[in-house]
Amino acid sequence: MSLKFSIVLFVLLSIAVALNGRSYRVSIHVIESDIQNSYYEQLQFFLVQLDNQVNNLAANLLQLEEDSIMKQYINTTAPEDLFDFNMLRSNMYERIKLQSVSSNWPMEISVFLKSKEEVISTRPDVVYEELASIPRVDLSKGLWNYEPGQGNSENYFTMVRLAPGYAIIARFSDTYIQDMINKFQQNSNRHTMLYHPKFGFIGNPPSDLGEWREQLDWNSLQEPGNRILNFKEHRLLLNYAPVGSLDWVMIDLVPLEKVVLPVKESSQFFILGIIAMLAIGVIITALIYRQIQYPINELVMKLQDIRSGNFSSRLQAKHRDEFQDVFSGFNDMAERIQELIEKVYEEKLRLKEAELKQLQSQINPHFLYNCLFYIKNMAKLGEDEQVVAMALNLGEYYRYTTRLENPLTTVREEVNFLKNYLNIHCFRKPMSYEVHISEELMEVSIPRLFIQPLVENAIIHGIEKSDQEGRIRIQGFFISGGFVITVEDSGDGLEPDNLERLREKMSLPLTPETGCGLWNTCQRVMNLYAPGSGLEFDRSGLGGLRVAIRCMTKQQEEPNVKFADC
């Protein structure tokens, strides 16, 4: 009996070893293929981000070139009023300074004016005589030229804009690209860098992965692609793609042996485990029928625990026989089931968060063109203060709406954003507004763009339809178990029947007639806060509509978790 069992065990383990060898070879092939495609797609995505960042800098420079104040200062030859001339020059410097810091990567901008033989720059060490040393730009090699620093000084990418009456030079440090590359390759088995045959590498090229540098041919790197480099001790995955705006090539090296090392070690451990199991099986064959019934009963009880939903139930391996493996397998199974259930729950939370972000992304302002036309008209009329005020409010408005790194804000920050939004409308239509919110409520965290749809609805459907000067009142206060924020307008309001239909639409699926602003806000309130939360509609004391956001916070712990960054 024992001999037969040993023979059967040996045959089964031999089959397992053979299957493991086959599985190992297939796994290595599949992993390398997936890694090749995945890392290449990641590099392409990173390259798009880099190109967008660099192109944004170029766009800022072109925007500066088209700035009305800059054109006015360039075309001014003999100033009639020295004070006005100095104010104009100061405004031009402020515009240059603003454009230099309007991106995540600050630039150094210098404007050389040929008619005045002067330079206005964010760099204090620039003199007009440097205009003669400006190199000619070959746009076929990218918008930005690379300027290596002397000694320990920084290296820069430079863009030159030449015109009959002026020249503009902008530059940014390559350390920004270095930091972006470091963040991209953080905690991964890859080496990412920029390469140019004349200037070398921007990044940290590895020195312990063989003679891979000799495999870099500049002409063959001008088209995106990837290939595997084989050396005596290394196999490297080389991904590459040109950066058109810089005339450099992005290179990504991945040592494949490090990627597949866990699989290799797992296979080796599996074989060692098989050998150990074979040796142990031969030794304990004579004892396999001892003490069977009690472990079986214990196993049945734990299975019943699992069936009843107690997935934390585990078996204590007290037996030195085959039941030790059975108990270990049961515990692994129970642990895996528990992990899967937790993952499904977490996935539901992520899905809910994605839905919330999608709802939030639909709440976007639609008045940009009106603001731009207002700025244009005021500029034609010479109303510089109105242009500056509108531009500042519009800039702060879009700065707030485009900050997506944190979906939460405070009531105070939301109110400041609403003031910018209302100030913009005050330029276009006679209206006034007032805000009455307690200081304690000002520090409460709420989702971004939480109140703005209500204010926008009050302006579009209330005030703009009236010929009288409009009024908007925003109030906020605590209630038992939560807080309420209200928005009222002085418009014509709604008839009782229309008001009741509006309340009913908030609980129905979104339709084109419903209007996504109020509906999205209502869904966000109900999803994020405890039962009893939502939007309430009523007549306002100002004559129009009163919309209240009721937020019950007693069960707020879970929504807070859902807002954690992924």
Side-chain angles (χ1 to χ4, degrees):
M1 185 70 176
S2 299
L3 180 59
K4 291 181 179 179
F5 183 84
S6 299
I7 294 174
V8 171
L9 181 61
F10 178 81
V11 172
L12 292 177
L13 295 180
S14 300
I15 295 174
V17 171
L19 292 176
N20 177 71
R22 172 62 179 171
S23 175
Y24 170 75
R25 292 188 293 270
V26 173
S27 298
I28 292 297
H29 176 73
V30 171
I31 290 175
E32 288 186 356
S33 178
D34 291 343
I35 287 296
Q36 190 169 358
N37 295 330
S38 175
Y39 275 53
Y40 180 76
E41 292 175 357
Q42 293 175 18
L43 184 65
Q44 289 289 338
F45 180 76
F46 174 71
L47 186 61
V48 170
Q49 292 180 314
L50 178 61
D51 261 330
N52 289 341
Q53 185 67 42
V54 175
N55 291 335
N56 284 340
L57 297 179
N60 291 339
L61 196 62
L62 296 178
Q63 184 179 2
L64 174 64
E65 194 172 2
E66 295 298 323
D67 188 85
S68 59
I69 292 180
M70 177 174 173
K71 289 183 177 180
Q72 182 181 357
Y73 184 79
I74 293 174
N75 296 328
T76 301
T77 55
E80 298 178 358
D81 189 329
L82 185 58
F83 176 80
D84 290 342
F85 179 80
N86 289 333
M87 285 296 297
L88 182 61
R89 188 182 190 280
S90 176
N91 290 337
M92 180 176 174
Y93 173 76
E94 290 298 327
R95 291 299 175 88
I96 295 174
K97 186 177 179 181
L98 178 63
Q99 290 296 338
S100 69
V101 297
S102 60
S103 175
N104 293 333
W105 295 358
M107 291 188 296
E108 297 176 354
I109 302 177
S110 302
V111 180
F112 295 84
L113 304 173
K114 299 179 181 179
S115 60
K116 300 178 178 60
E117 293 187 357
E118 69 170 342
V119 58
I120 302 177
S121 175
T122 59
R123 298 167 52 195
D125 59 336
V126 177
V127 295
Y128 178 78
E129 285 71 20
E130 292 183 14
L131 177 62
S133 62
I134 296 178
R136 293 293 177 180
V137 180
D138 186 1
L139 296 180
S140 64
K141 295 183 178 180
L143 295 175
W144 299 85
N145 293 327
Y146 187 72
E147 291 185 1
Q150 302 294 330
N152 295 327
S153 58
E154 292 186 6
N155 307 318
Y156 291 91
F157 283 93
T158 303
M159 181 177 178
V160 180
R161 296 288 298 175
L162 297 176
Y166 63 92
I168 302 177
I169 300 178
R171 69 178 190 175
F172 65 91
S173 174
D174 66 349
T175 56
Y176 301 134
I177 297 179
Q178 175 71 62
D179 293 339
M180 192 173 182
I181 291 175
N182 291 338
K183 292 179 180 179
F184 172 69
Q185 65 182 7
Q186 187 176 13
N187 299 327
S188 62
N189 294 320
R190 68 194 316 163
H191 303 275
T192 308
M193 67 212 81
L194 280 176
Y195 168 70
H196 193 280
K198 180 179 179 181
F199 304 112
F201 298 91
I202 296 179
N204 298 313
S207 58
D208 58 342
L209 296 180
E211 302 298 325
W212 59 272
R213 299 175 191 239
E214 285 73 15
Q215 304 291 330
L216 301 180
D217 177 59
W218 179 252
N219 294 327
S220 64
L221 299 177
Q222 297 307 304
E223 293 293 333
N226 56 37
R227 61 177 183 265
I228 295 179
L229 306 178
N230 293 303
F231 300 97
K232 292 182 179 180
E233 298 179 359
H234 303 283
R235 296 185 74 243
L236 300 180
L237 171 61
L238 173 63
N239 296 307
Y240 52 90
V243 185
S245 57
L246 301 180
D247 193 32
W248 286 59
V249 173
M250 185 68 69
I251 292 177
D252 189 38
L253 287 173
V254 182
L256 294 177
E257 64 270 16
K258 293 184 179 180
V259 176
V260 301
L261 181 61
V263 178
K264 185 177 180 180
E265 291 179 347
S266 177
S267 177
Q268 293 174 348
F269 283 124
F270 180 83
I271 294 176
L272 292 175
I274 291 294
I275 295 174
M277 289 175 61
L278 179 59
I280 295 173
V282 172
I283 295 174
I284 66 171
T285 300
L287 304 175
I288 60 175
Y289 290 104
R290 284 181 155 186
Q291 299 179 348
I292 293 179
Q293 192 60 42
Y294 176 79
I296 290 178
N297 293 338
E298 189 176 0
L299 177 61
V300 170
M301 292 176 59
K302 296 300 182 181
L303 285 173
Q304 291 176 351
D305 290 343
I306 295 294
R307 183 181 300 173
S308 63
N310 183 14
F311 298 104
S312 61
S313 181
R314 298 292 186 270
L315 285 168
Q316 299 296 327
K318 302 177 181 178
H319 307 276
R320 298 179 179 272
D321 50 22
E322 69 277 15
F323 282 100
Q324 183 176 1
D325 294 334
V326 174
F327 286 7
S328 178
F330 173 85
N331 291 336
D332 291 340
M333 178 195 68
E335 183 177 358
R336 181 59 177 163
I337 292 175
Q338 187 176 9
E339 291 177 357
L340 289 175
I341 291 176
E342 291 174 354
K343 287 182 179 179
V344 169
Y345 179 74
E346 291 174 359
E347 188 62 28
K348 288 183 179 179
L349 293 182
R350 294 192 186 98
L351 178 60
K352 201 70 172 179
E353 181 181 2
E355 293 173 353
L356 294 175
K357 288 185 177 179
Q358 178 64 22
L359 291 175
Q360 180 172 343
S361 67
Q362 297 176 14
I363 307 176
N364 289 323
H366 305 287
F367 60 97
L368 174 60
Y369 290 136
N370 292 333
C371 296
L372 295 178
F373 280 120
Y374 178 89
I375 292 175
K376 184 184 96 172
N377 293 333
M378 292 297 101
K380 284 185 177 180
L381 296 175
E383 297 291 338
D384 292 342
E385 294 182 359
Q386 297 291 327
V387 171
V388 171
M390 173 62 85
L392 289 176
N393 281 282
L394 189 62
E396 290 297 324
Y397 174 85
Y398 278 104
R399 183 194 301 273
Y400 183 89
T401 58
T402 54
R403 283 191 320 193
L404 303 177
E405 66 276 5
N406 187 359
L408 283 180
T409 186
T410 62
V411 175
R412 186 183 304 279
E413 292 179 350
E414 184 84 357
V415 167
N416 291 337
F417 159 72
L418 292 177
K419 290 180 179 179
N420 293 124
Y421 180 74
L422 289 168
N423 288 337
I424 292 173
H425 282 282
C426 289
F427 288 119
R428 300 172 49 232
K429 179 178 176 61
M431 59 178 291
S432 61
Y433 64 90
E434 53 186 290
V435 179
H436 304 289
I437 298 178
S438 64
E439 281 297 316
E440 293 81 5
L441 186 56
M442 281 289 193
E443 304 305 323
V444 172
S445 294
I446 60 173
R448 297 174 62 80
L449 299 177
F450 200 50
I451 313 173
Q452 187 269 347
L454 277 60
V455 177
E456 181 179 1
N457 182 77
I459 294 175
I460 296 177
H461 300 289
I463 293 178
E464 289 189 351
K465 292 184 178 181
S466 175
D467 296 331
Q468 304 296 325
E469 179 178 345
R471 291 180 58 197
I472 288 182
R473 179 191 297 156
I474 302 173
Q475 295 178 298
F477 48 90
F478 285 104
I479 61 174
S480 177
F483 61 91
V484 174
I485 297 176
T486 65
V487 177
E488 303 177 66
D489 64 76
S490 61
D492 297 330
L494 294 176
E495 296 297 329
D497 292 342
N498 293 334
L499 195 61
E500 186 62 30
R501 281 195 293 270
L502 179 60
R503 295 190 184 103
E504 294 175 356
K505 288 179 180 179
M506 293 301 102
S507 59
L508 298 176
L510 180 63
T511 63
E513 295 79 17
T514 304
C516 68
L518 293 178
W519 188 88
N520 282 348
T521 302
C522 184
Q523 297 303 311
R524 293 172 69 194
V525 173
M526 292 189 296
N527 285 335
L528 292 173
Y529 293 93
S533 303
L535 294 189
E536 299 176 352
F537 304 90
D538 206 343
R539 294 282 298 181
S540 169
L542 300 179
L545 181 66
R546 178 181 182 271
V547 183
I549 305 176
R550 177 178 293 271
C551 301
M552 309 304 294
T553 58
K554 283 188 175 181
Q555 300 179 10
Q556 188 67 8
E557 293 78 10
E558 184 174 334
N560 284 339
V561 173
K562 295 197 299 184
F563 272 107
D565 290 339
C566 298

